[in-house]
Amino acid sequence: MRATFVNINRLEENRRCGMPKYHFNARLDMEIIETFERAHGIVFPESYKQFMAGFNGGMILEEPDSYYTDMTDWEPDGPKWSSFYFFSLDELEEEYIKLRSESTMLSHNFKGVFPLLPICNTPKQETIMLVSQKGILKESPVFISNDVKDMGTYVQIADDFDDFLGTIIDHDGFPKIVVDERNPLMSLYLYENKVSIIATKKETDAEVIVRTTALIKTDPQHAWNYAERGNALERDGQYKLALNDFNRAIELDTSHPFFYYCRGSLFLNYGSARKALIDLDIAVKLEPQDSLYLSTRAFCFLQLGKLQEALNDCNMVLEHDRMYKSALLTRCSVYRAMGEQDKANADAELLEEIY
């Protein structure tokens, strides 16, 4: 049973009363919201999730609708820019992806589930932010900054989203937010709740499958989602389903070598080396210098008894990177199959030295 939040109920009552300055969107199915969460690996704070289910973003205008008539003729988004505007789920996704791709707020080399959720813009073009509740029991506070990319400037302005929504309603959509430097910083909240540790925790294959399945549901034409899910399915032993995903990725994008590599590797490990060679040839043709594709094709040649071709691919890789492990392993096996024991031993010694 979901919790009840006072200010979400107040907003619903005001909307029912037909208050003319209230411009909020239609209700959003909870399954859509939860699919979004699974797709991006985040968890919305419960009060915000209920707000999105009931209103899917919106704003309280400062003036009656008639005031904005001329403005919207030449600037349709004018009311949004001059209000505390809560993003719809589609807009939030756009802002979230942009922030995730451009931001170095957490670290320059951050690789994980981006946990910061931009939910609202102010009339001063400040960004209001929540933190994903994944792995955290208490609801996220609400933070604000005039520099969306600088985490050090984010300060807390409300204990949780329902509290912030109450401030919005109490001031007819336009609260006077005073950013006090004595307020808690977002960086402190992230540290105390180990948010970065949670966000960078390696996903299990089951978690990858859940996330990519949700991504495919929201964007069924994105080839990378099928390839990522296919690799997780392969690691999980679901080879037929993995093959279906690799096939679909190639259907959607015939020009990307990685998708042929994925399918070729699946054939090589669990099917036919001859079928694998067809895909690996395509991958190498599309990206001739790639060490992964070349070394995998070399191993495929070895399985087919094509020793000279395998040796050629290994040498091509090792000319650029003499310590590339898979190429060294394959070349060692090729030399042994060719009866070149001294060369095989030299590669074996190099492998022991490196690894």
Side-chain angles (χ1 to χ4, degrees), residues 283-299:
V284 171
K285 182 178 179 180
L286 289 170
E287 202 162 332
Q289 301 302 316
D290 189 275
S291 295
L292 176 63
Y293 305 155
L294 282 166
S295 59
T296 306
R297 189 176 70 171
F299 183 73

Side-chain angles (χ1 to χ4, degrees), residues 128-268:
I128 293 175
M129 193 89 72
L130 294 173
V131 178
S132 168
Q133 201 170 317
K134 184 176 183 179
I136 304 172
L137 295 177
K138 184 180 178 182
E139 286 226 355
S140 166
V142 179
F143 301 95
I144 192 170
S145 174
N146 59 10
D147 185 350
V148 69
K149 295 181 183 179
D150 186 354
M151 186 176 65
T153 66
Y154 278 87
V155 296
Q156 181 175 331
I157 55 170
D159 289 340
D160 56 43
F161 179 78
D162 193 59
D163 180 41
F164 176 65
L165 185 61
T167 302
I168 293 284
I169 296 170
D170 289 342
H171 294 84
D172 295 322
F174 289 83
K176 292 187 187 293
I177 296 178
V178 178
V179 177
D180 190 332
E181 293 180 355
R182 293 171 295 181
N183 287 3
L185 294 173
M186 178 193 281
S187 55
L188 178 61
Y189 175 82
L190 297 180
Y191 174 77
E192 289 178 342
N193 290 279
K194 301 180 180 178
V195 172
S196 292
I197 294 173
I198 294 168
T200 53
K201 184 179 178 182
K202 183 176 174 58
E203 291 179 292
T204 65
D205 289 330
E207 289 171 332
V208 173
I209 292 167
V210 168
R211 176 173 57 78
T212 51
T213 298
L215 281 169
I216 288 167
K217 187 173 181 179
T218 60
D219 186 3
Q221 301 303 309
H222 197 291
W224 273 98
N225 296 334
Y226 291 94
E228 186 179 7
R229 186 174 71 175
N231 281 309
L233 288 166
E234 180 180 347
R235 291 191 298 268
D236 197 49
Q238 301 183 61
Y239 306 128
K240 288 184 179 179
L241 292 177
L243 178 58
N244 291 340
D245 274 355
F246 295 146
N247 287 340
R248 182 61 178 148
I250 291 169
E251 286 173 12
L252 290 169
D253 185 351
T254 59
S255 65
H256 205 295
F258 182 69
F259 305 148
Y260 294 99
Y261 159 77
C262 290
R263 189 171 69 178
S265 294
L266 180 66
F267 284 139
L268 182 58

